[in-house]
Amino acid sequence: FAILIPMQIHGFLKVFTTLGQPKVAELGSKNLKRGLVFKSFQLEIIVIAIVAAYIIAAPTIFKILYPGYTEEAVVLSQIFSVSLLYYPGNVLALLFLRERQTKPVYQINVLYAFSTITALTILVPTFGLIGAVLAKIIVRFLQAGTQIYLFKRYLKGG
């Protein structure tokens, strides 16, 4: 239950990426980098506001929707919501879809899978539920960092 609401928010944020694909396709090659960075920045501001609002509202939401759950579930949910801050990096990855670049997409997906397995294997036995939440946060930020790195590298021609 701790991750249920943040995952619903994540599903809602996917709509922005889906809606952004036609906009990315319309961007000329000249404006592509600036356009994607600007759209990513705009989405980051929205996501920060959503995460902050959720962190503030989570105790009340849990009291109303899940009155039987402990304070620990609220804290885990609030911490897990921080993992949503990675999401605007996905806008930068739209470049690879537009340019039909499969190698960076595969690199991102393989790194995500490998780092998820590694982080969960290390953090869950060590820290339990909080380890699972921390693993998800670490992996998502690693994914965002990889997307940003590959985005910059692609634009430099490498």
Side-chain angles (χ1 to χ4, degrees), residues 99-116:
E99 300 294 317
R100 300 189 191 281
Q101 294 292 314
T102 56
K103 185 178 177 183
V105 173
Y106 289 141
Q107 288 173 327
I108 292 166
N109 289 338
V110 167
L111 178 70
Y112 179 77
F114 179 76
S115 59
T116 298

Side-chain angles (χ1 to χ4, degrees), residues 19-145:
L19 292 174
Q21 287 179 354
K23 298 268 186 200
V24 170
E26 292 172 0
L27 290 173
S29 295
K30 229 179 187 183
N31 299 326
L32 185 62
K33 178 181 177 184
R34 188 174 20 170
L36 285 176
V37 170
F38 182 70
K39 298 271 184 224
S40 178
F41 179 72
Q42 285 178 320
L43 186 55
E44 186 67 46
I45 291 171
I46 293 168
V47 171
I48 288 170
I50 291 170
V51 168
Y54 178 73
I55 288 172
I56 292 167
T60 305
I61 292 170
F62 268 74
K63 283 179 187 170
I64 295 169
L65 297 178
Y66 314 114
Y69 285 89
T70 65
E71 184 67 30
E72 182 182 351
V74 175
V75 172
L76 283 174
S77 185
Q78 290 170 316
I79 293 170
F80 185 77
S81 71
V82 171
S83 72
L84 296 172
L85 295 175
Y86 90 98
Y87 199 79
N90 289 344
V91 172
L92 300 178
L94 290 176
L95 167 74
F96 305 127
L97 295 176
R98 178 187 174 210
E99 300 294 317
R100 300 189 191 281
Q101 294 292 314
T102 56
K103 185 178 177 183
V105 173
Y106 289 141
Q107 288 173 327
I108 292 166
N109 289 338
V110 167
L111 178 70
Y112 179 77
F114 179 76
S115 59
T116 298
I117 292 166
T118 303
L120 289 172
T121 302
I122 294 169
L123 295 175
V124 170
T126 307
F127 299 107
L129 281 176
I130 191 74
V133 170
L134 292 174
K136 194 67 168 175
I137 292 170
I138 291 166
V139 167
R140 284 195 171 167
F141 281 103
L142 181 62
Q143 179 187 17

Side-chain angles (χ1 to χ4, degrees), residues 3-15:
I3 67 168
L4 187 62
I5 296 171
M7 289 306 291
Q8 292 298 317
I9 295 169
H10 180 266
F12 171 73
L13 292 174
K14 281 185 176 182
V15 171

